[in-house]
Amino acid sequence: RKMLQVDVTDEVREYLRKPTFDNWQWDDPEMLILLRQMYIDLNLVSNLNIEMPILHNWLYEIYRNYNQVPFHNFKHCFMVAQMMYGLTWLIDLPSLLDDIDIFILLTSAICHDLDHPGYNNAYQINAKTELALRYNDISPLENHHCSVAFEVLEKRHCNVMRNFSKEQYKRVREGMIRCILATDMAKHNEILSNFKSCTPSFDFNNKDHKALLLMVLLKIADISNECRPLDVAEPWLECLLQEFFNQSDIEKLEGLPVAPFMDREKVTKSSSQIGFIKFALLPLFEALGQLFPVIEKDIIGPVRNALDYYTDMQRALEEEKKK
Ligand SMILES: COc1ccc(NC(=O)[C@H](C)Nc2nc3c(cnn3-c3ccccc3C)c(=O)[nH]2)cc1
């Protein structure tokens, strides 16, 4: 019941909006309280008539449904929600989108990796797991995350949407399914090129344009660790590589295909990040920057610095090899 009594100071509420927020200083119960604060400070609790006891129950049930894996755990869920929250204020999304869209963005971020097993879609498909069979190899993980999200919401004591109208509920379900499925990196190039084709004449009244914007915002929040300060981002890369190495070790044991960027014998931090930042992260951020130049300084700048950091690291490694 600790969650009920605690209040968050104004200083922490301000800090919570920044991309420099350092999750490593906070424990899981505190992060649950900060997630609740996001719904309060975005006026979603008041405007959408969300009941606080239900919000507590829902957040705790979400927490219980994330697994203790090195990267795709509850702390990752928090970081994606916190980046989404920071982008919401930086871009001033409440002046452009309505409460339901803001609710879709934050709730999708919190739910987007629910019950992640720590082994990616390639493993699910190659190992013919239960998830791959259930979802016919079609984004098995993302389909599962979204399905678990709505199983939780269907529980009476966790249904934060129970005071929503049928129309509002329908919009949220459609939006969350579309956004969570969009986090499958296999869809990255398709979503990015569709978004780039609509940004020159972006129309906030165009449903398709807004749908693409919401997908891109969740994608960015999901993979944006490298726009954070080095002492926040670097531990996250260690966690990610740990999870990838666990998977490639199992794949080797089971005689399954091993992706080069997961093989502990082949990958280095700099090699994995240089390609990822150049070909996945920067193109995505720059496309959003076309629409919202305000992200250039505080979001895209740090990513360019990270690229320089890993490029220098890579050069130093190569110098080492020559000796
Ligand atoms: C097209 O599908 C892809 C493309 C790239 C990657 N990942 C990478 O290239 C490497 C391992 N780096 C990387 N991957 C990252 C980061 C953040 N999220 N993330 C990630 C995690 C799990 C699954 C997919 C991605 C991109 C990050 O900072 N770096 C993984 C899948």
Short mmCIF file of all heavy atoms in Angstrom, two decimals, residues 71-72 185-186 188 222-226 237 240-241 244 261 272-273 275-276 280-281, ligand 1:
data_model
loop_
_atom_site.label_atom_id
_atom_site.label_comp_id
_atom_site.label_asym_id
_atom_site.label_seq_id
_atom_site.Cartn_x
_atom_site.Cartn_y
_atom_site.Cartn_z
N PHE A 71 17.38 -7.28 -20.69
CA PHE A 71 17.04 -5.99 -21.30
C PHE A 71 15.53 -5.73 -21.31
O PHE A 71 15.09 -4.68 -20.88
CB PHE A 71 17.57 -5.95 -22.75
CG PHE A 71 17.31 -4.64 -23.45
CD1 PHE A 71 18.23 -3.59 -23.37
CD2 PHE A 71 16.15 -4.45 -24.19
CE1 PHE A 71 17.99 -2.38 -24.02
CE2 PHE A 71 15.89 -3.23 -24.84
CZ PHE A 71 16.82 -2.20 -24.75
N HIS A 72 14.73 -6.65 -21.83
CA HIS A 72 13.30 -6.40 -22.03
C HIS A 72 12.51 -6.66 -20.75
O HIS A 72 11.59 -7.48 -20.70
CB HIS A 72 12.78 -7.27 -23.17
CG HIS A 72 13.27 -6.81 -24.51
ND1 HIS A 72 14.31 -7.43 -25.17
CD2 HIS A 72 12.90 -5.76 -25.28
CE1 HIS A 72 14.54 -6.79 -26.31
NE2 HIS A 72 13.70 -5.78 -26.42
N MET A 185 10.95 -4.59 -35.46
CA MET A 185 11.96 -3.92 -36.30
C MET A 185 11.95 -4.42 -37.74
O MET A 185 12.48 -3.77 -38.63
CB MET A 185 13.36 -4.09 -35.70
CG MET A 185 13.66 -3.13 -34.58
SD MET A 185 13.51 -1.39 -35.05
CE MET A 185 15.03 -1.16 -35.96
N ALA A 186 11.33 -5.56 -37.98
CA ALA A 186 11.23 -6.05 -39.37
C ALA A 186 10.37 -5.09 -40.20
O ALA A 186 10.47 -5.06 -41.42
CB ALA A 186 10.62 -7.44 -39.38
N HIS A 188 10.53 -1.82 -39.79
CA HIS A 188 11.15 -0.50 -39.63
C HIS A 188 11.18 0.29 -40.94
O HIS A 188 10.67 1.42 -40.99
CB HIS A 188 12.59 -0.68 -39.11
CG HIS A 188 13.37 0.59 -39.01
ND1 HIS A 188 13.17 1.50 -37.99
CD2 HIS A 188 14.32 1.13 -39.83
CE1 HIS A 188 13.99 2.53 -38.16
NE2 HIS A 188 14.70 2.33 -39.26
N ASP A 222 11.04 3.49 -28.15
CA ASP A 222 11.46 2.12 -27.90
C ASP A 222 12.96 1.92 -28.06
O ASP A 222 13.58 1.18 -27.30
CB ASP A 222 10.71 1.19 -28.87
CG ASP A 222 10.97 -0.27 -28.60
OD1 ASP A 222 11.41 -0.61 -27.47
OD2 ASP A 222 10.78 -1.10 -29.51
N ILE A 223 13.58 2.59 -29.09
CA ILE A 223 14.99 2.27 -29.40
C ILE A 223 15.91 3.45 -29.12
O ILE A 223 17.02 3.51 -29.64
CB ILE A 223 15.14 1.79 -30.86
CG1 ILE A 223 14.70 2.87 -31.84
CG2 ILE A 223 14.35 0.49 -31.07
CD1 ILE A 223 14.95 2.47 -33.29
N SER A 224 15.47 4.40 -28.29
CA SER A 224 16.15 5.70 -28.15
C SER A 224 17.19 5.76 -27.03
O SER A 224 17.63 6.85 -26.67
CB SER A 224 15.10 6.77 -27.84
OG SER A 224 14.45 6.41 -26.62
N ASN A 225 17.64 4.63 -26.48
CA ASN A 225 18.61 4.73 -25.38
C ASN A 225 19.81 5.60 -25.73
O ASN A 225 20.33 6.31 -24.88
CB ASN A 225 19.09 3.33 -24.98
CG ASN A 225 18.01 2.56 -24.25
OD1 ASN A 225 17.17 3.15 -23.58
ND2 ASN A 225 18.02 1.25 -24.41
N GLU A 226 20.25 5.57 -27.00
CA GLU A 226 21.47 6.30 -27.38
C GLU A 226 21.28 7.82 -27.41
O GLU A 226 22.24 8.54 -27.66
CB GLU A 226 22.01 5.80 -28.72
CG GLU A 226 22.68 4.44 -28.64
CD GLU A 226 23.84 4.38 -27.62
OE1 GLU A 226 24.36 5.45 -27.22
OE2 GLU A 226 24.19 3.28 -27.22
N LEU A 237 23.17 -0.73 -23.08
CA LEU A 237 23.76 -1.52 -24.17
C LEU A 237 24.34 -2.82 -23.61
O LEU A 237 24.20 -3.89 -24.23
CB LEU A 237 24.84 -0.70 -24.89
CG LEU A 237 25.54 -1.40 -26.04
CD1 LEU A 237 24.55 -1.86 -27.11
CD2 LEU A 237 26.61 -0.50 -26.65
N LEU A 240 21.48 -5.11 -23.21
CA LEU A 240 21.00 -5.62 -24.50
C LEU A 240 21.91 -6.72 -25.04
O LEU A 240 21.45 -7.79 -25.45
CB LEU A 240 20.93 -4.47 -25.50
CG LEU A 240 20.45 -4.84 -26.89
CD1 LEU A 240 19.02 -5.35 -26.88
CD2 LEU A 240 20.57 -3.66 -27.83
N LEU A 241 23.23 -6.46 -24.97
CA LEU A 241 24.17 -7.45 -25.50
C LEU A 241 24.11 -8.73 -24.65
O LEU A 241 24.21 -9.84 -25.17
CB LEU A 241 25.58 -6.87 -25.56
CG LEU A 241 25.75 -5.74 -26.59
CD1 LEU A 241 27.16 -5.19 -26.56
CD2 LEU A 241 25.38 -6.21 -28.00
N PHE A 244 21.19 -10.57 -25.94
CA PHE A 244 21.51 -11.12 -27.27
C PHE A 244 22.47 -12.30 -27.15
O PHE A 244 22.32 -13.31 -27.83
CB PHE A 244 22.12 -10.02 -28.14
CG PHE A 244 21.13 -9.04 -28.72
CD1 PHE A 244 21.56 -7.98 -29.50
CD2 PHE A 244 19.76 -9.18 -28.49
CE1 PHE A 244 20.66 -7.06 -30.04
CE2 PHE A 244 18.85 -8.27 -29.02
CZ PHE A 244 19.29 -7.20 -29.80
N PHE A 261 24.90 -9.94 -35.31
CA PHE A 261 24.93 -8.87 -34.30
C PHE A 261 24.58 -9.38 -32.91
O PHE A 261 24.51 -8.64 -31.96
CB PHE A 261 24.04 -7.69 -34.70
CG PHE A 261 22.55 -7.96 -34.70
CD1 PHE A 261 21.83 -7.94 -33.51
CD2 PHE A 261 21.87 -8.19 -35.87
CE1 PHE A 261 20.46 -8.19 -33.50
CE2 PHE A 261 20.50 -8.43 -35.88
CZ PHE A 261 19.80 -8.44 -34.69
N SER A 272 28.20 -2.81 -33.12
CA SER A 272 26.74 -2.94 -33.12
C SER A 272 26.09 -1.56 -33.17
O SER A 272 25.10 -1.36 -33.86
CB SER A 272 26.28 -3.69 -31.85
OG SER A 272 25.95 -2.80 -30.81
N GLN A 273 26.70 -0.57 -32.48
CA GLN A 273 26.03 0.73 -32.37
C GLN A 273 26.22 1.61 -33.60
O GLN A 273 25.32 2.35 -33.98
CB GLN A 273 26.50 1.46 -31.12
CG GLN A 273 26.07 0.80 -29.83
CD GLN A 273 24.58 0.54 -29.79
OE1 GLN A 273 24.09 -0.43 -30.40
NE2 GLN A 273 23.82 1.38 -29.15
N GLY A 275 26.44 0.88 -36.83
CA GLY A 275 25.47 0.52 -37.87
C GLY A 275 24.06 0.86 -37.44
O GLY A 275 23.29 1.46 -38.19
N PHE A 276 23.73 0.55 -36.20
CA PHE A 276 22.38 0.78 -35.69
C PHE A 276 22.04 2.28 -35.69
O PHE A 276 20.97 2.69 -36.15
CB PHE A 276 22.25 0.20 -34.29
CG PHE A 276 20.94 0.50 -33.65
CD1 PHE A 276 19.78 -0.11 -34.09
CD2 PHE A 276 20.84 1.43 -32.62
CE1 PHE A 276 18.55 0.18 -33.53
CE2 PHE A 276 19.62 1.72 -32.06
CZ PHE A 276 18.48 1.10 -32.50
N ALA A 280 19.49 2.88 -38.55
CA ALA A 280 18.15 2.71 -37.96
C ALA A 280 17.74 3.96 -37.18
O ALA A 280 16.72 4.57 -37.47
CB ALA A 280 18.12 1.47 -37.06
N LEU A 281 18.59 4.38 -36.25
CA LEU A 281 18.20 5.44 -35.31
C LEU A 281 18.16 6.83 -35.95
O LEU A 281 17.11 7.49 -35.94
CB LEU A 281 19.17 5.44 -34.13
CG LEU A 281 18.64 5.89 -32.79
CD1 LEU A 281 17.32 5.26 -32.44
CD2 LEU A 281 19.65 5.61 -31.69
C1 LIG B 1 16.15 -4.44 -38.52
O1 LIG B 1 16.15 -5.11 -37.28
C2 LIG B 1 17.13 -4.78 -36.38
C3 LIG B 1 18.07 -3.79 -36.63
C4 LIG B 1 19.07 -3.52 -35.68
C5 LIG B 1 19.09 -4.24 -34.48
N1 LIG B 1 20.02 -4.02 -33.48
C6 LIG B 1 21.30 -3.67 -33.72
O2 LIG B 1 21.71 -3.42 -34.81
C7 LIG B 1 22.26 -3.56 -32.53
C8 LIG B 1 22.35 -4.83 -31.75
N2 LIG B 1 22.08 -2.49 -31.69
C9 LIG B 1 21.05 -1.99 -31.00
N3 LIG B 1 19.79 -2.55 -30.96
C10 LIG B 1 18.91 -1.84 -30.15
C11 LIG B 1 19.22 -0.68 -29.46
C12 LIG B 1 18.07 -0.27 -28.78
N4 LIG B 1 17.11 -1.16 -29.04
N5 LIG B 1 17.62 -2.12 -29.84
C13 LIG B 1 16.90 -3.26 -30.21
C14 LIG B 1 16.64 -4.19 -29.25
C15 LIG B 1 15.93 -5.33 -29.57
C16 LIG B 1 15.48 -5.53 -30.86
C17 LIG B 1 15.75 -4.59 -31.84
C18 LIG B 1 16.48 -3.46 -31.51
C19 LIG B 1 16.77 -2.39 -32.59
C20 LIG B 1 20.53 -0.16 -29.57
O3 LIG B 1 20.91 0.88 -28.99
N6 LIG B 1 21.40 -0.85 -30.35
C21 LIG B 1 18.14 -5.23 -34.24
C22 LIG B 1 17.16 -5.50 -35.19
#
